[in-house]
Amino acid sequence: RYEEAERSAREAIGRSGASDYLDELHYELGWILAALGKKDEALAEFAWLETGSRDANITASALCKAGDIYIDAKKYKEALANYDTVLDKHQSSRWADYAQYRVGDIFLFTDKLDEAILAYQNVLSNYPASRMREKALFQLGSVYLRKKDYGPAAARFRMMLSEYPDSKARAEADLCLGSALFNAGDHEGAIEASRKAAESGPEKVKEMAAYQIARAYYGMKKDDDAAREFSAFLKQYPGSDLVPDVWFWFGEYYISKGKFEKAGESFNAILKSSAAGDIRERALFALAASKYDEKDLSGSIEKLDQFLKEFPESKVRGKALAKAAAISKSMGDMDRAVWYLKNALTTENNESNAQIQYEIAEAIEAKGMTGEAAEEYLKVPYV
């Protein structure tokens, strides 16, 4: 009942004068105002405590709460100033470890990963009995994982799991440990950690763990085991954002087995999905390639045309045009081949463009147009 609490606190402050309770009343009022969403008024109460309080712990707590409000508002400079004041002037308060931890959070939020590591490490080394130790270990592992330092990441998650076996974040830590081990090449370890995450984690963790287990089997070159796990994933999590990635894996899996029709079905499943996102581009290009492998040249050209229309700025646009030109040549359609090749040319003077120009001349010569072909051949040295 925050409104009543605010009225009581303000009335008490008005009556207390220089009472010993004045610090606590301003402190309580600050928290009440924060709960009511009156952030500026809350900050004013906490600012009063920085100069008016005689209790170091209340002052440090007020500075930390103000820092948290600034973090929520993404005012990281102001937040950092508050936490630094705690670390500078109130090092012996029971809030110093929290301030150090939140300094790490600010560096993490602003992508200063090395500084974040140092800040979290300071929590562990400077405050060995800190209540923030568990969270600091988890955050350290997460930062190392983000930096792709997989060995140190795995070590921090293992330390956290060993020291805090009943942690509420145990499933998430197991999942992150599995990711670190997978990327470090320890696929068996990744499977073990991911299975533990799936045992006790919430549904989202179980979903990620199942996906991670399948990937680990693939990393071990146990394709059939990976296919079994990915099939189970599709049945259990049909609405997952990872479904298009799984279908793409199946497409490549079937291509490796020479089952090009099945590969096409997998890539088409991605194209029909509304959740395909960025993977749609890769799927459409891969579908064109699988149709070529299937000896369906017309189908391959059709998908390449669709690709060029949907993704005109693609990084592999030149590759798609070259593939379409080569297929058109093999089908005897030189006019179409020339069109693709001319669209593949860029304004740069390099060997790639010289090769394309040479192929344009070849295609025109194959049509029996020797005069025009000669003109095209003469452009090659200039390109």
Side-chain angles (χ1 to χ4, degrees), residues 183-319:
N183 285 290
D186 182 359
H187 298 117
E188 289 185 3
I191 290 171
E192 182 184 355
S194 299
R195 290 203 189 283
K196 286 180 180 177
E199 286 173 9
S200 59
E203 202 61 23
K204 192 63 181 176
V205 168
K206 290 180 179 179
E207 177 188 324
M208 289 299 301
Y211 180 75
Q212 210 156 257
I213 288 167
R215 286 181 69 219
Y217 276 120
Y218 176 60
M220 295 166 70
K221 302 192 185 306
K222 294 184 176 181
D223 289 1
D224 292 338
D225 289 327
R228 182 193 67 240
E229 295 292 337
F230 276 131
S231 293
F233 181 92
L234 290 173
K235 289 178 182 176
Q236 194 163 358
Y237 305 105
S240 170
D241 292 339
L242 294 168
V243 164
D245 295 86
V246 175
W247 279 121
F248 193 87
W249 182 88
F250 269 115
E252 293 188 318
Y253 169 75
Y254 286 128
I255 285 176
S256 71
K257 301 288 185 183
K259 299 179 179 179
F260 302 117
E261 188 175 342
K262 293 286 286 181
E265 290 173 8
S266 298
F267 295 131
N268 269 315
I270 297 172
L271 301 181
K272 292 174 184 176
S273 170
S274 59
D278 293 340
I279 204 170
R280 179 180 175 85
E281 179 181 343
R282 292 169 57 206
L284 189 51
F285 190 81
L287 178 58
S290 70
K291 285 192 172 293
Y292 178 79
D293 292 334
E294 199 182 340
K295 305 286 190 283
D296 181 4
L297 302 185
S298 296
S300 183
I301 283 281
E302 179 187 336
K303 292 304 172 187
L304 286 168
D305 283 340
Q306 184 181 344
F307 176 87
L308 292 165
K309 183 178 180 180
E310 284 192 32
F311 304 102
E313 305 298 324
S314 172
K315 291 180 180 179
V316 294
R317 179 177 179 274
K319 191 175 180 181

Side-chain angles (χ1 to χ4, degrees), residues 308-356:
L308 292 165
K309 183 178 180 180
E310 284 192 32
F311 304 102
E313 305 298 324
S314 172
K315 291 180 180 179
V316 294
R317 179 177 179 274
K319 191 175 180 181
L321 286 163
K323 186 71 175 174
I327 295 171
S328 297
K329 279 184 184 179
S330 67
M331 294 172 70
D333 190 343
M334 297 303 165
D335 288 332
R336 196 168 189 176
V338 168
W339 185 87
Y340 287 123
L341 289 166
K342 285 188 174 181
N343 276 277
L345 276 174
T346 68
T347 57
E348 296 176 12
N349 290 335
N350 56 34
E351 194 154 339
S352 174
N353 276 328
Q355 179 63 35
I356 293 170

Side-chain angles (χ1 to χ4, degrees), residues 102-161:
R102 290 300 263 165
V103 168
D105 285 348
I106 290 172
F107 287 136
L108 179 58
F109 298 153
T110 53
D111 289 322
K112 296 177 180 177
L113 301 186
D114 290 329
E115 291 90 336
I117 288 171
L118 183 60
Y120 292 132
Q121 193 62 51
N122 282 341
V123 175
L124 304 180
S125 56
N126 296 341
Y127 311 97
S130 170
R131 60 197 162 141
M132 306 306 298
R133 181 175 175 82
E134 177 188 342
K135 289 185 176 181
L137 283 168
F138 186 92
Q139 290 293 74
L140 261 176
S142 300
V143 178
Y144 278 123
L145 195 58
R146 192 159 150 187
K147 283 193 68 180
K148 299 182 180 179
D149 289 344
Y150 301 118
R156 296 315 183 281
F157 288 123
R158 279 188 168 131
M159 192 181 299
M160 181 207 148
L161 290 164

